[in-house]
Amino acid sequence: MWDYAGRDTAIDMGSATVRMHVKDRGVVCREPSLLARSRRTGQILALGLPAQQMAGRDSDVALVRPIREGAPTETDEAEYLMRHLVRRHHRRHYMARPRLVVTVPSGMTSVHYRALQFSAYQAGARRLTMVPTPIAAAIGMGMTEAGPEIAVIADIGADLTDVGVIAFGGLVTSHTAAVGGSDLDRAIVALVRREHGVTLSAAAAEEAKIAVGAVPCVGRQPIRQAPVDGRDATTGLPRRVVVTTTDVQRAIEGPVSKIVEAVHAGLRGCSPEVSGELLSVGVTLTGGTARLPGLERLIRDRTGLDAWLGDDTGDAAVIGAADVLRTAGLNPPVQDATSRPHLLTTVPQY
Ligand SMILES: Nc1ncnc2c1ncn2[C@@H]1O[C@H](COP(=O)(O)OP(=O)(O)OP(=O)(O)O)[C@@H](O)[C@H]1O
Ligand SMILES: [Mg+2]
């Protein structure tokens, strides 16, 4: 009967990518979390990939990133994005009211928590469950049991590094820091501007990072080169420069250290009992930025804990979130809607 209202749906509203999982269909969408809005009329013109393709092509088009640092900072646009994705991927789209589970940063403020709750109900949720990203990622990788076993996840995304120590299906301790892949992109833009006098778009810097990027000073790494196109800062004309692995390493040193510091901070809050266990458990890395070559080794060297890449698709959190609905049954515990989600939280509609 509930298929009529919409199949159970999980959404990972990332700062860079929104992912959606629909029951029995799997991950149905991975779209850039972007909207294109007309400056003149205020109308939304496109969302996701088509919106990204409009960047810089029409002076009337303003691109809006509704999710920053994992929170819906532009609530109307975040709601629009969620509503349209839910409708697009449900057969009876005009009346889709699925049970919805949304991943949230473990350190989300209650203001943003409420904003997301509001957006999700406006987007058609019949019932809403929020789950902190590290828990969702751990479930997605089949790492969590309901028992005392410890799992440590560091989800390193575009805007956030979210570290959680998990036991009994909940957070023992967690730490969220506002640093991630977009900081690396900005650092590359700044270096190329400083040293080559060329202004790059954030997308070009990201491409160079993915093509030749690696973590600084960890062992010997092959030096690779990538041509990137930008605008000459003096003449205003297009210019191509070649960016090397060494350039990227120099540029991203600062933000990479901040990411490692965030992992440190996430581990620091444990009791001595749990802390001792971490040595045998290690840290599992998820999120797009975890794929940066050498990052696991740097974390291993600086924390003394084993670290490895647990998910190179980026889908672990949304798959884990979907699993929450499957296993939590119809009546998971209801908590105060304003409290931050420590365990899984089902929030009532207000
Ligand atoms: N191979 C790669 N090497 C380095 N960085 C990568 C690679 N692939 C993706 N990224 C980076 O990962 C980031 C996106 O990761 P992810 O999809 O986990 O972020 P998000 O969930 O949208 O953001 P957040 O969790 O911070 O809200 C981008 O900054 C992207 O440039
Ligand atoms: Mg994410």
Side-chain angles (χ1 to χ4, degrees), residues 193-281:
R193 167 84 213 222
R194 206 168 51 239
E195 298 192 356
H196 299 275
V198 170
T199 312
L200 298 182
S201 67
E206 182 181 16
E207 258 177 50
K209 172 186 76 178
I210 294 176
V212 302
V215 157
C217 309
V218 181
R220 289 169 69 84
Q221 277 157 343
I223 306 290
R224 285 164 294 151
Q225 302 187 329
V228 279
D229 300 331
R231 191 183 59 192
D232 190 296
T234 355
T235 64
L237 293 173
R239 211 175 102 200
R240 172 167 290 185
V241 290
V242 173
V243 173
T244 67
T245 304
T246 322
D247 292 333
V248 175
Q249 288 178 327
R250 274 189 300 127
I252 66 178
E253 202 164 350
V256 164
S257 291
K258 281 195 193 152
I259 291 175
V260 179
E261 176 49 36
V263 177
H264 262 212
L267 304 174
R268 236 175 256 143
C270 297
S271 63
E273 291 86 345
V274 172
S275 229
E277 262 183 66
L278 298 185
L279 284 171
S280 56
V281 168

Side-chain angles (χ1 to χ4, degrees), residues 12-19 31 33 65 67-71 105 133 155-162 179-185 206-207 209-211 213 286-293 311 313-314:
D12 172 2
M13 295 282 277
S15 314
T17 310
V18 44
R19 293 179 165 84
E31 289 269 358
S33 354
R65 277 183 56 197
I67 316 290
R68 285 182 189 263
E69 297 178 10
T133 300
D155 185 90
I156 312 170
D159 278 10
L160 286 183
T161 296
D162 199 352
V179 60
S182 342
D183 297 274
L184 309 187
D185 303 342
E206 182 181 16
E207 258 177 50
K209 172 186 76 178
I210 294 176
T286 61
T289 302
R291 279 181 256 166
L292 189 71
D311 161 43
T313 62

Side-chain angles (χ1 to χ4, degrees), residues 127-186:
R127 173 174 204 139
L128 173 67
T129 304
M130 303 220 196
V131 46
T133 300
I135 298 184
I139 297 173
M141 286 182 296
M143 286 171 62
T144 49
E145 310 290 333
E149 299 81 11
I150 305 280
V152 184
I153 298 285
D155 185 90
I156 312 170
D159 278 10
L160 286 183
T161 296
D162 199 352
V163 186
V165 178
I166 299 153
F168 290 111
L171 289 171
V172 177
T173 173
S174 69
H175 178 75
T176 309
V179 60
S182 342
D183 297 274
L184 309 187
D185 303 342
R186 277 193 288 273

Side-chain angles (χ1 to χ4, degrees), residues 93-154:
H93 53 88
Y94 49 91
M95 55 192 306
R97 286 184 63 75
R99 288 198 306 174
L100 200 65
V101 54
V102 183
T103 62
V104 291
S106 56
M108 196 182 212
T109 65
S110 38
V111 173
H112 286 141
Y113 187 43
R114 266 200 170 272
L116 190 62
Q117 175 192 4
F118 183 76
S119 299
Y121 278 117
Q122 291 298 310
R126 175 170 90 244
R127 173 174 204 139
L128 173 67
T129 304
M130 303 220 196
V131 46
T133 300
I135 298 184
I139 297 173
M141 286 182 296
M143 286 171 62
T144 49
E145 310 290 333
E149 299 81 11
I150 305 280
V152 184
I153 298 285

Side-chain angles (χ1 to χ4, degrees), residues 13-82:
M13 295 282 277
S15 314
T17 310
V18 44
R19 293 179 165 84
M20 196 165 120
H21 179 289
V22 175
K23 189 180 173 188
D24 298 332
R25 289 192 204 136
V27 181
V28 292
C29 118
R30 300 172 190 91
E31 289 269 358
S33 354
L34 269 181
L35 296 166
R37 173 191 281 289
S38 161
R39 289 183 209 274
R40 211 163 19 88
T41 63
Q43 202 189 344
I44 307 269
L45 305 170
L47 59 85
L49 193 59
Q52 193 177 41
Q53 288 163 344
M54 288 181 171
R57 278 172 170 62
D58 184 340
S59 58
D60 179 46
V61 174
L63 286 190
V64 185
R65 277 183 56 197
I67 316 290
R68 285 182 189 263
E69 297 178 10
T73 43
E74 309 286 338
T75 33
D76 289 350
E77 283 82 359
E79 175 201 319
Y80 186 96
L81 185 63
M82 247 198 257

